Amino acid sequence: MKNIEKYTRGYFMPPVKSLKWTEKEYITEAPTWCSVDLRDGNQALIVPMNLEEKLEYFQLLLEVGFKEIEVGFPAASETEYAFLRTLIEENLIPDDVTIQVLTQSREHIIKKTFEALQGAKKAVVHLYNSTSVAQREQVFRKSKEEIINIAVTGAKMLKKYAAETEGNFQFQYSPESFTGTEVEFSLEICNKVLDIWQPAEDNKVIINLPATVSMSMPHVYASQIEYMSDNLKYRDNVVLSLHPHNDRGTGVADAELGMLAGAQRVEGTLFGNGERTGNVDIVTLALNMYSHGVDPKLNFENIPAIISKYEKLVRMTVHERHPYGGELVFTAFSGSHQDAIAKGMKWREEEDCQYWTVPYLLIDPMDIGREYEGDIIRINSQSGKGGIGYILQQNYGIDLPNEMRESFGYSVKNVSDHNQKELMPNEIYDIFMNEYVNINTPFEYIRYQYKQNGQYETIVSLRVNNEECELTGYGNGRLDAISNVIQTQLGIDYKDLIYKQHALEIGSGSQAVSYVGITSNNGTVYWGCGIDTDIMNSSVKALFSAVNKMVTSLQLSVERELIK
């Protein structure tokens, strides 16, 4: 790569070690979640949502279970202002939900913000100004003292206008671009704001520390958060909040380690929509907690419905590989993965397990509204016998013997490879039916009769070359007698007959299915399947299916005289 020398690490480690977070194993309780979809998310859209769409999205956030929702920047545009007034005047905000609005530290903006908030039952007013070295030097060209003055002046104005406005208000301050700010300076400016607001047990203040631009590895952010948590004034009455972005692809990790480091609240969006690479994805954060047995206090039990509404309103799609929500995230195409999943699912049924431990599946897809059928195992040329057998069993009740799965697996993979496509369950079923079930050429089985005189005497009726004939044979059982007919009177040699049968329970009434494998003289195993309402007939059909596959494959010629 060129130009490496132009890049430097623009973040700041705390002045003292802050590593207590490393001693914690996992997050033990859900943070307070604040959705910023309607502000950060909306402002990042090519076409921002209109009033009706924002109202519909607000309802979606309520259904998911958010209790704090940032609804916009009411002083920024008429749509933002009208949206907030509509929520308040039409009483659309549940009593247990707090709305949040954003404002810069400028008096005319603060004044209009409180005008928009008139009559709000419960609202957070979110004040911010940028504090990083880059912003101070390049954008504002101001000293640290001047930047502190912007924050302090804004904090005083919030107190003034809140006292003059009908409503119930909580204050929040963000040193924007926190990750590019000297940690000691972030602490100084936040404490100056806290001194103005004087947080109390019944009037807590939110200090929000945004990774406005993700600049470091997640452990650095965690150390910064822990230092702030340990040194903020009025700490018992301060709610420490995170607002990670995803520039380095570490937004989720930043948030998780930040919570270990003392943060009590997280601002983010559904599926990470936001400026540039986006905000932290609350869906992933919440379901990561869920995978550890911790209730995230948000409802993603029908994630397909959430995605459908989300994609309609933001006009973007959730990527197929997006954690938890993506169409393919629970799907295995690899043969070894499919085999492990199929065996894991069977083991769960047999053992009646309390905990979810299925290989390759972090959580049970059913718990978030996904289906096993079509979601977990899908078939292409990379798939294996385990997955292919699982598809037949789950969708059609056909439980292939383990020895037969390899043979059928090759048949399916060859079709997929030849056609260069994924195969749907119905296509896999069709391949099975066409290649293995009730095969009737060159020998078409019609019926059999038997009587037992010490051993079974069995008469088998066949049709060969459009002519019907009857052959008699003997054996220890009906299937053994019929097998002897085939070998002695048709002259077809094979050995090691393998046999399995079961009821066909899915969609087939009282039908039975049988599987038979035979081994030719060259060592190749040929499989056949029979399906019939009579269990014995299904067995005979399976045997003839296997024999017909072997005869056809080896191109054996059977003289007509043998069956006269």
Side-chain angles (χ1 to χ4, degrees), residues 45 47-50 53 310-317:
L45 300 178
V47 180
M49 288 179 274
N50 60 32
E53 289 168 334
Y310 168 85
E311 291 183 335
K312 181 188 81 168
L313 293 171
V314 303
R315 302 175 185 88
M316 293 192 298
T317 57

Side-chain angles (χ1 to χ4, degrees), residues 33-266:
W33 302 107
C34 179
S35 160
V36 294
D37 292 78
L38 292 167
R39 196 263 295 174
D40 268 33
N42 186 57
Q43 74 182 22
L45 300 178
I46 296 172
V47 180
M49 288 179 274
N50 60 32
L51 177 60
E52 290 72 24
E53 289 168 334
K54 292 189 79 171
L55 289 169
E56 187 174 354
Y57 204 106
F58 183 76
Q59 186 58 42
L60 171 63
L61 296 172
L62 294 180
E63 291 169 4
V64 170
F66 285 99
K67 300 303 180 185
E68 295 190 9
I69 301 172
E70 188 161 86
V71 296
F73 197 146
S77 72
E78 285 307 311
T79 300
E80 299 278 285
Y81 189 96
F83 175 54
L84 178 53
R85 290 313 306 160
T86 300
L87 291 175
I88 295 171
E89 291 170 7
E90 297 189 13
N91 199 29
L92 299 176
I93 307 167
D95 291 342
D96 63 344
V97 171
T98 300
I99 57 169
Q100 178 170 302
V101 295
L102 187 69
T103 180
Q104 295 173 336
S105 184
R106 301 167 68 185
E107 185 163 13
H108 72 284
I109 292 176
I110 292 172
K111 180 180 180 182
K112 188 165 185 179
T113 298
F114 276 96
E115 288 174 1
L117 284 169
Q118 185 77 28
K121 294 178 184 176
K122 197 163 25 175
V124 171
V125 186
H126 180 184
L127 174 72
Y128 76 98
N129 68 300
S130 198
T131 59
S132 68
V133 174
Q135 294 269 7
R136 295 195 318 257
E137 292 179 348
Q138 301 171 37
V139 180
F140 300 108
R141 303 195 178 192
K142 291 184 182 295
S143 66
K144 288 182 178 179
E145 291 71 22
E146 290 172 306
I147 295 296
I148 290 174
N149 186 59
I150 292 172
V152 168
T153 300
K156 290 176 179 177
M157 286 190 288
L158 254 63
K159 283 189 73 172
K160 172 181 180 292
Y161 282 100
E164 298 170 357
T165 305
E166 177 193 355
N168 182 8
F169 306 113
Q170 182 179 13
F171 297 150
Q172 172 172 325
Y173 175 69
S174 289
E176 192 200 1
S177 58
F178 166 77
T179 45
T181 305
E182 306 92 331
V183 186
E184 303 96 312
F185 181 54
S186 293
L187 180 65
E188 180 183 1
I189 197 168
C190 288
N191 279 335
K192 294 280 189 184
V193 170
L194 290 171
D195 282 338
I196 302 297
W197 286 341
Q198 291 290 307
E201 186 175 353
D202 60 349
N203 185 29
K204 292 188 177 183
V205 166
I206 301 168
I207 291 294
N208 187 56
L209 302 176
T212 308
V213 178
S214 176
M215 303 176 74
S216 68
M217 294 175 68
H219 73 286
V220 173
Y221 186 58
S223 294
Q224 294 168 336
I225 299 303
E226 185 171 279
Y227 176 81
M228 295 291 288
S229 179
D230 286 347
N231 292 283
L232 281 169
K233 290 184 177 181
Y234 316 98
R235 185 62 184 92
D236 289 345
N237 297 319
V238 170
V239 177
L240 188 59
S241 178
L242 306 176
H243 183 109
H245 281 248
N246 200 40
D247 304 85
R248 290 171 51 90
T250 59
V252 168
D254 288 340
E256 290 183 326
L257 297 192
M259 283 189 274
L260 291 180
Q264 302 144 290
R265 182 178 184 267
V266 175

Side-chain angles (χ1 to χ4, degrees), residues 502-532:
H502 63 80
L504 194 57
E505 298 173 345
I506 298 180
S508 303
S510 59
Q511 284 190 309
V513 58
S514 297
Y515 314 92
V516 167
I518 55 175
T519 304
S520 67
N521 290 332
N522 66 11
T524 303
V525 179
Y526 294 90
W527 284 93
C529 176
I531 297 178
D532 196 274

Side-chain angles (χ1 to χ4, degrees), residues 380-451:
N380 62 17
S381 60
Q382 304 302 307
S383 303
K385 61 183 181 180
I388 293 167
Y390 180 84
I391 291 289
L392 276 186
Q393 184 175 8
Q394 290 296 307
N395 290 275
Y396 303 102
I398 295 171
D399 185 13
L400 301 181
N402 288 335
E403 303 92 336
M404 186 180 183
R405 291 188 176 200
E406 184 171 2
S407 169
F408 180 54
Y410 283 121
S411 296
V412 171
K413 290 168 68 171
N414 287 340
V415 173
S416 176
D417 193 34
H418 178 75
N419 295 325
Q420 291 290 292
K421 59 172 284 191
E422 177 188 357
L423 297 179
M424 297 297 103
N426 65 299
E427 294 175 298
I428 295 166
Y429 178 76
D430 288 343
I431 293 170
F432 181 71
M433 295 298 290
N434 291 333
E435 294 193 14
Y436 290 86
V437 178
N438 299 349
I439 307 300
N440 56 18
T441 55
F443 305 111
E444 181 182 356
Y445 164 70
I446 301 172
R447 60 186 171 273
Y448 78 94
Q449 304 173 52
Y450 76 95
K451 57 185 178 180

